[in-house]
């Protein structure tokens, strides 16, 4: 199988010659037509006058002997798959015995894939010798065609029909206790729940109403009792750790700030249109703004005895949401930011004048102004100061940007820094793409924001794809220098050029460091589809 997978891609490249009478077909082995697209046929066409063509034919014939036995095995497996009992599967749960798993009635040997698992080997080993279903119920991202196709390569047989479905498949739904959500939200995934407000509602208000604030969850939402809730703050060596109740947090000076949160994958769908990426298909709505209140992190850290140090240090956060291993969602920020009163990092317990909604971290979450949403850990359970950044998967193996040349075979997550401050961003919320607008005058609305506290100083809008430009009017709160934590809403009323049947509307923002958005997706494309901030484009029709 390994030889087959290694050879076939090169044969595909070698065999793309023009039509001729002679054809040789090689069929790639498929384990299950329901799990992957129909097997591709590879065709070679020869030309009597082409020496190069006969060389390729010779190469294929030479490889035919090598592949013949394998192809025979594949066909035999397809016709009559080997049947295993669950007891046999259970006996294969370590690298020494090989690692088998089941999905439905199928059996897979995933020994070679364990070290390649994006979530880390330990996560996949939880299912070793048993079913994948209880774990895939927790991570619905697995239910995608490319994951099924990948798994199909490792199929070795099927389960005996005499084996009953194990009780582990009847475990309770880990998402059964998730909160009720607003019906206006556009859902990108149900398990875990991830959704964004529709564009037309996103900029109706400067402050996003709690029910339609975008939701980014990685795991089931915990249901925490505010009376028994405790936040553990680890003290420095020789110091004293804190165990804080909500009432204890209320005793710290209350601090309020307006902050925009944006997911690293906001506008990922535009990168997908250019070239496939892995991740949730966020449109322009993975961004929202709220008024947050809570205790400043620097005050809490100082109470525990922490202070700035000359060596590098990081404040690590752990949430109370966890996977079946007990591994919590985690992230970290530099200690210098956490201890800086001007950075205004909060341990927030209120959102828009109300206790945090469950989807947004009740009873306490971190709010890090100007920083990517992935570091705003919800359902906060533990804070510690460490010499290195968090070892969480979401800090070390996700939310990083790479060159367009990097793919999943060559990516090295250790080579790139974790995303902290985000680049300048803007998008059009009105009119919508494909809409018909009236002739005469058109009203265009949208949002603009930049990370790191950099203020948006201008939004340029074009009606002709970027040939000519208008300057939009900025609305919302005035922004403080170096502390512009929230977005600016903007709008433009412009005459529709006479005789135009369609408009190609474009927007781009400029911040106070004169950073500006790139004009296209191509130079910023990356395999995870993060940091998508190219000019936003909307094509509309003009009514006659």
């Amino acid at each position: 199988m390994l030889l087959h997978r290694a050879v076939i891609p090169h044969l595909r490249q070698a065999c793309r010659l023009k039509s001729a009478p002679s054809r040789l077909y090689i069929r790639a082995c498929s384990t299950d037509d329901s799990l992957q697209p129909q097997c591709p046929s590879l065709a070679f066409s020869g030309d009597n006058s082409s020496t190069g063509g006969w060389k390729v034919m010779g190469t294929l014939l030479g490889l035919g002997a090598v592949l013949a036995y394998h192809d025979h095995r594949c066909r035999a497996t397809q016709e009559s798959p080997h049947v295993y009992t669950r007891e046999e599967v259970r006996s294969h749960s370590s690298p020494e015995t090989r690692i088998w798993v089941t999905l439905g009635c199928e059996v897979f040997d995933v020994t070679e894939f364990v070290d390649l698992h994006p979530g880390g080997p330990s996560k996949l080993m939880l299912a070793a010798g048993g079913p994948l279903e209880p774990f895939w119920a927790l991570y619905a991202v697995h239910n995608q065609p490319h994951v099924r196709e990948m798994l199909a390569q490792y199929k070795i047989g099927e389960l005996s029909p005499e084996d009953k479905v194990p009780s582990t498949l009847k475990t309770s739904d880990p998402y059964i206790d998730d909160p009720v959500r607003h019906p206006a939200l556009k859902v990108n995934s149900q398990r875990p729940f991830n959704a964004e407000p529709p564009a037309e509602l996103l900029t109706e208000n400067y402050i996003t109403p709690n029910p339609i604030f975008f939701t980014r969850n990685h795991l089931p939402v915990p249901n925490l009792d505010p009376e028994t809730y405790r936040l553990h703050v680890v003290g420095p060596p020789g110091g004293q750790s804190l165990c804080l109740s909500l009432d204890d947090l209320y005793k710290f000076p209350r601090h309020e700030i307006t902050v925009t949160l944006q997911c690293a994958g906001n506008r990922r769908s535009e990168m997908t249109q250019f070239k496939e990426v892995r991740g949730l298909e966020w449109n322009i709505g993975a961004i929202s703004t709220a008024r947050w209140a809570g205790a400043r992190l620097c005050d809490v850290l100082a109470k525990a005895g922490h202070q700035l140090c000359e060596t590098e240090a990081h404040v690590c956060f752990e949430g109370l949401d966890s996977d079946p291993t007990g591994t919590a969602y985690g992230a970290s920020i530099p200690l210098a930011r956490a201890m800086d009163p001007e950075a205004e990092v909060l341990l927030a317990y209120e959102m828009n004048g109300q206790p945090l909604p469950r989807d947004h971290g009740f009873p306490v979450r971190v709010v890090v102004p100007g920083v990517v949403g992935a570091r705003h850990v919800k359902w906060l359970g533990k804070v510690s100061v460490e010499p290195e950044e968090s070892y969480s998967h979401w800090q070390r193996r996700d939310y990083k940007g790479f060159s367009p040349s990097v793919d999943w075979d060559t990516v090295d997550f250790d080579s790139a820094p974790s995303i902290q401050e985000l680049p300048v961003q803007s998008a059009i919320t009105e009119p919508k793409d494909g809409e018909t607008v009236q002739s005469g005058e058109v009203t265009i609305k949208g949002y603009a924001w930049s990370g790191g506290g950099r203020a948006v100083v201008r939004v340029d809008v074009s009606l002709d794809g970027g040939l000519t430009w208008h300057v939009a009017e900025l609305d919302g709160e005035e922004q403080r220098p170096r502390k512009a934590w929230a977005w600016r809403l903007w709008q433009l009323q412009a005459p529709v050029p006479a005789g135009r049947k369609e408009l190609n509307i474009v927007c781009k923002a400029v911040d106070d460091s004169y950073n500006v958005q790139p004009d296209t997706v191509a130079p910023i494309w990356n395999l995870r589809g993060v940091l998508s901030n190219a000019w936003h484009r909307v094509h509309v029709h003009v009514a006659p």
Side-chain angles (χ1 to χ4, degrees):
M1 178 63 82
L2 292 176
L3 172 62
H4 193 259
R5 273 182 266 148
V7 169
I8 289 301
H10 298 291
L11 293 184
R12 286 194 180 104
Q13 295 177 3
C15 297
R16 289 170 183 163
L17 299 179
K18 300 291 183 180
S19 59
S22 176
R23 289 185 176 271
L24 173 66
Y25 289 92
I26 295 180
R27 182 179 176 83
C29 173
S30 166
T31 61
D32 188 338
D33 289 341
S34 68
L35 294 183
Q36 69 178 36
Q38 187 174 357
C39 297
S41 295
L42 304 181
F44 167 74
S45 302
D47 187 327
N48 291 337
S49 63
S50 173
T51 302
W54 285 111
K55 286 181 179 179
V56 175
M57 174 69 84
T59 301
L60 291 173
L61 291 174
L63 285 171
V66 178
L67 296 176
Y69 177 67
H70 168 74
D71 289 342
H72 170 74
R73 290 286 304 277
C74 286
R75 286 192 295 272
T77 299
Q78 290 174 329
E79 293 168 3
S80 55
H82 194 96
V83 176
Y84 300 96
T85 65
R86 290 195 183 277
E87 185 176 352
E88 287 179 286
V89 174
R90 280 194 293 270
S91 68
H92 293 79
S93 59
S94 69
E96 291 74 27
T97 60
R98 300 194 67 79
I99 300 161
W100 292 8
V101 295
T102 65
L103 184 66
C105 64
E106 298 180 302
V107 181
F108 306 89
D109 182 344
V110 295
T111 309
E112 274 75 30
F113 181 70
V114 170
D115 287 335
L116 304 176
H117 186 247
S122 63
K123 298 292 191 300
L124 184 52
M125 286 301 293
L126 290 171
L132 290 169
E133 282 89 342
F135 306 97
W136 281 27
L138 199 61
Y139 298 102
V141 68
H142 290 92
N143 292 312
Q144 297 187 49
H146 76 271
V147 177
R148 296 286 184 136
E149 291 170 20
M150 186 182 302
L151 181 64
Q153 300 177 55
Y154 299 97
K155 181 177 176 181
I156 58 173
E158 296 185 356
L159 283 170
S160 169
E162 299 176 1
D163 265 348
K164 295 181 179 179
V165 176
S167 59
T168 53
L169 297 187
K170 301 175 184 177
T171 53
S172 61
D173 182 354
Y175 294 93
I176 195 68
D177 197 33
D178 268 18
V180 176
R181 279 85 180 207
H182 195 283
L185 289 172
K186 300 174 67 177
V187 179
N188 289 319
S189 76
Q190 284 284 1
R191 300 162 178 257
F193 186 79
N194 291 280
E196 60 188 297
E200 56 269 31
L201 295 183
L202 187 59
T203 53
E204 281 294 300
N205 301 284
Y206 179 72
I207 298 295
T208 311
N210 289 356
I212 62 168
F213 198 101
F214 91 94
T215 301
R216 176 65 174 109
N217 294 335
H218 296 83
L219 298 161
V221 176
N223 196 355
L224 304 175
D225 182 351
E227 296 300 320
T228 59
Y229 169 80
R230 296 294 183 269
L231 172 61
H232 297 276
V233 182
V234 179
Q240 184 175 358
S241 296
L242 304 178
C243 183
L244 303 174
S245 66
L246 269 179
D247 286 338
D248 293 328
L249 278 175
Y250 296 154
K251 294 174 184 176
F252 286 88
R254 175 188 172 90
H255 192 70
E256 289 191 34
I257 45 173
T258 303
V259 176
T260 293
L261 269 63
Q262 181 182 221
C263 179
N266 191 32
R267 298 180 59 195
R268 178 182 283 128
S269 58
E270 294 166 53
M271 282 197 174
T272 302
Q273 292 172 12
F274 174 74
K275 184 179 177 182
E276 184 180 0
V277 300
R278 294 185 188 175
L280 296 171
E281 286 291 292
W282 295 108
N283 202 305
I284 64 170
I287 184 172
S288 299
T289 299
R291 183 74 177 170
W292 309 92
R296 291 191 306 181
L297 177 59
C298 61
D299 293 339
V300 175
L301 290 175
K303 182 72 172 179
H306 289 289
Q307 56 186 355
L308 280 175
C309 53
E310 295 182 358
T311 57
E312 182 181 5
H314 302 261
V315 179
C316 298
F317 308 113
E318 286 186 13
L320 292 171
D321 51 336
S322 60
D323 65 15
T325 68
T327 302
Y329 181 86
S332 61
I333 61 173
L335 177 63
R337 181 184 291 274
M339 292 296 294
D340 183 2
E342 294 298 305
E344 300 186 279
V345 181
L346 285 188
L347 302 182
Y349 44 73
E350 283 187 10
M351 178 180 180
N352 294 333
Q354 301 174 352
L356 295 175
R358 281 186 60 206
D359 259 332
H360 299 291
F362 179 83
V364 177
R365 74 172 298 165
V366 183
V367 173
V368 192
V371 168
V372 64
R375 313 303 168 217
H376 299 233
V377 175
K378 299 189 282 190
W379 313 291
L380 186 64
K382 181 181 177 182
V383 178
S384 62
V385 177
E386 308 292 347
E388 295 187 30
E389 67 177 356
S390 170
Y391 278 92
S392 165
H393 165 81
W394 293 279
Q395 185 82 22
R396 299 276 183 134
R397 292 292 178 268
D398 203 350
Y399 299 121
K400 295 185 176 186
F402 295 94
S403 166
S405 65
V406 174
D407 59 28
W408 287 101
D409 294 324
T410 61
V411 64
D412 175 9
F413 278 94
D414 291 327
S415 68
S418 301
I419 298 172
Q420 293 283 343
E421 297 179 1
L422 287 169
V424 64
Q425 175 72 282
S426 71
I428 299 162
T429 58
E430 183 185 323
K432 293 192 295 185
D433 191 59
E435 190 174 320
T436 297
V437 300
Q438 297 300 313
S439 58
E441 189 173 70
V442 61
T443 298
I444 305 163
K445 296 181 180 180
Y447 66 77
W449 181 77
S450 192
R454 292 178 289 274
V456 170
V457 296
R458 194 178 78 238
V459 173
D460 298 324
V461 181
S462 174
L463 304 184
D464 53 17
L467 297 177
T468 60
W469 296 92
H470 307 263
V471 177
E473 179 183 348
L474 300 179
D475 299 325
E477 294 180 2
E478 288 298 320
Q479 298 186 318
R480 298 169 294 170
R482 300 176 301 282
K483 297 175 73 173
W485 307 132
W487 62 12
R488 298 299 297 269
L489 304 185
W490 56 264
Q491 63 176 327
L492 172 73
Q493 290 182 314
V496 175
R500 295 293 296 271
K501 296 182 178 180
E502 58 184 33
L503 302 175
N504 292 311
I505 307 174
V506 178
C507 74
K508 61 180 176 74
V510 182
D511 69 22
D512 61 10
S513 292
Y514 288 98
N515 297 308
V516 67
Q517 297 170 248
D519 59 344
T520 63
V521 166
I524 59 171
W525 182 93
N526 58 88
L527 76 176
R528 276 290 280 122
V530 294
L531 308 171
S532 180
N533 73 325
W535 294 358
H536 189 222
R537 302 169 184 270
V538 169
H539 178 264
V540 299
H541 305 281
V542 179

